[in-house]
Amino acid sequence: MRLMPLPQRQLSCGRLNLDLSIPHVMGILNVTPDSFSDGGKYQHVALAVQHAKEMMAAGASIIDIGGESTRPGASAVAVGEEIDRVIPVVQALSQHDVVISIDTSAPEVIRAAVAAGAHIWNDVRALTRDGALQTAVDLDIPVIVMHMRGEPTTMNDLDHYLDVTQDVITELQQRVDVALAAGIKPEHILIDPGFGFAKNAEQNLKLLHEFDQLNVMGYPIVSALSRKRFIGAVVGGTEAKDRVIGSVAAHLISVQQGACIVRAHDVKETVDALKMWQALQSS
Ligand code: 8Y4
């Protein structure tokens, strides 16, 4: 008797297929205005595409493109700007054999991105925006359902858990149930515990220690620990670059417990660590 569905071993991304029986690195591509200096829109696009190509060469299977100006609630104008930043990069990358995910909560942005060739919806707000569920159904694409409480502006006060891992699983399952009820296909659902979102350092560490409990949900698991503050709290140092090795270690620990996609800034370092792990699996 099997109590849970077996997680999808293949993720169908349009003409591309992702083999989830091996771990993959999702490279982070920020196209927010503060992530580059002057030089005009064309140069911004060219630099972003160049960065994406470097991550692909380093072994990223997925590029996660994020263009939301400020994490807290985007206005209608901001959504237009987000589209302007993200779409030219999607168009350029869709010519290549790489899975494109879009870090957005806005239905308008994901619709435009999928029309331009994007494959996966990575929504830190777990399809809670108006029209998000129906948009995911209409587009018929894989979605990453992440755990968070409140909004990025309010989440820091919402870190009260009885048992962080169990509570995250319960709350994630509620969002997954909402997605399924709306008509999203089970084979299109990936889950993510949302490290750093409404969780303090101690809770993030407990969640990583107990990461394998997420497997009870029966969906492929994404982990996104890259350079996050709680890594800095462990390894020390003030700059993001001081957190690279801690992030690689944390991602590896998540993969050992069942994560099949890790979202990372430092693709080469992460890919090498996962190659080492993979070599032991097939030995
Ligand atoms: C340095 C740079 C330190 C960035 C922290 C950060 C997640 C995510 C984010 C996540 C999924 C971030 C878009 C926060 N976190 N998507 N996105 N899961 N699926 N902070 O945990 O990277 S943004």
Side-chain angles (χ1 to χ4, degrees):
M1 183 177 68
R2 182 153 54 81
L3 295 171
M4 52 174 180
L6 274 175
Q8 241 12 70
R9 289 294 85 185
Q10 296 286 328
L11 189 68
S12 172
C13 302
R15 73 191 159 85
L16 302 172
N17 231 34
L18 208 57
D19 176 8
L20 297 181
S21 66
I22 57 167
H24 294 275
V25 174
M26 168 191 274
I28 300 172
L29 187 67
N30 279 316
V31 292
T32 46
D34 48 276
S35 66
F36 32 64
S37 48
D38 298 336
K41 194 183 262 179
Y42 175 76
Q43 215 208 336
H44 293 167
V45 173
L47 283 171
V49 171
Q50 188 192 327
H51 183 203
K53 286 180 180 170
E54 284 164 11
M55 293 194 289
M56 289 157 62
S61 321
I62 310 168
I63 302 296
D64 188 44
I65 307 174
E68 197 180 331
S69 47
T70 44
R71 293 259 120 228
S75 68
V77 176
V79 165
E81 284 172 10
E82 196 180 337
I83 289 174
D84 289 346
R85 286 194 289 265
V86 166
I87 299 311
V89 181
V90 174
Q91 284 170 337
L93 291 185
S94 65
Q95 313 299 313
H96 297 82
D97 272 353
V98 69
V99 174
I100 301 167
S101 80
I102 307 294
D103 157 22
T104 188
S105 299
E108 301 89 334
V109 174
I110 193 67
R111 281 186 189 275
V114 169
H119 306 103
I120 299 178
W121 190 356
N122 178 28
D123 182 7
V124 299
R125 293 182 183 79
L127 312 177
T128 53
R129 284 273 172 83
D130 282 351
L133 288 161
Q134 192 53 49
T135 298
V137 174
D138 295 346
L139 294 175
D140 198 30
I141 54 166
V143 292
I144 301 172
V145 176
M146 197 196 80
H147 178 268
M148 175 167 58
R149 286 175 172 180
E151 278 282 313
T153 40
T154 59
M155 65 182 183
N156 289 343
D157 303 323
L158 301 173
D159 60 350
H160 299 282
Y161 298 91
L162 216 56
D163 177 314
V164 66
T165 310
Q166 286 315 309
D167 293 353
V168 164
I169 289 169
T170 302
E171 291 167 27
L172 260 182
Q173 187 64 55
Q174 286 166 358
R175 282 317 297 170
V176 167
D177 289 344
V178 168
L180 293 171
I184 294 170
K185 292 174 180 152
E187 63 266 31
H188 277 163
I189 293 177
L190 301 106
I191 54 168
D192 181 331
F195 285 103
F197 289 88
K199 292 149 196 105
N200 64 31
E202 188 191 339
Q203 291 161 346
N204 285 307
L205 287 172
K206 187 166 191 280
L207 197 49
L208 181 56
H209 182 241
E210 300 173 351
F211 194 90
D212 70 334
Q213 294 185 26
L214 290 160
N215 291 301
V216 303
M217 292 183 67
Y219 295 97
I221 312 171
V222 178
S223 77
L225 296 138
S226 197
R227 301 182 180 180
K228 285 188 176 173
R229 201 182 301 122
F230 84 100
I231 307 262
V234 173
V235 302
T238 47
E239 288 171 56
K241 273 285 168 195
D242 299 326
R243 302 175 183 169
V244 174
I245 296 171
S247 300
V248 170
H251 277 140
L252 182 57
I253 290 163
S254 74
V255 165
Q256 276 188 299
Q257 296 179 81
C260 59
I261 297 174
V262 303
R263 179 180 178 274
H265 296 88
D266 308 288
V267 172
K268 174 74 166 79
E269 292 83 349
T270 311
V271 166
D272 280 1
L274 298 191
K275 276 184 181 169
M276 203 62 224
W277 180 83
Q278 189 60 38
L280 304 191
Q281 299 313 111
S282 41
S283 74

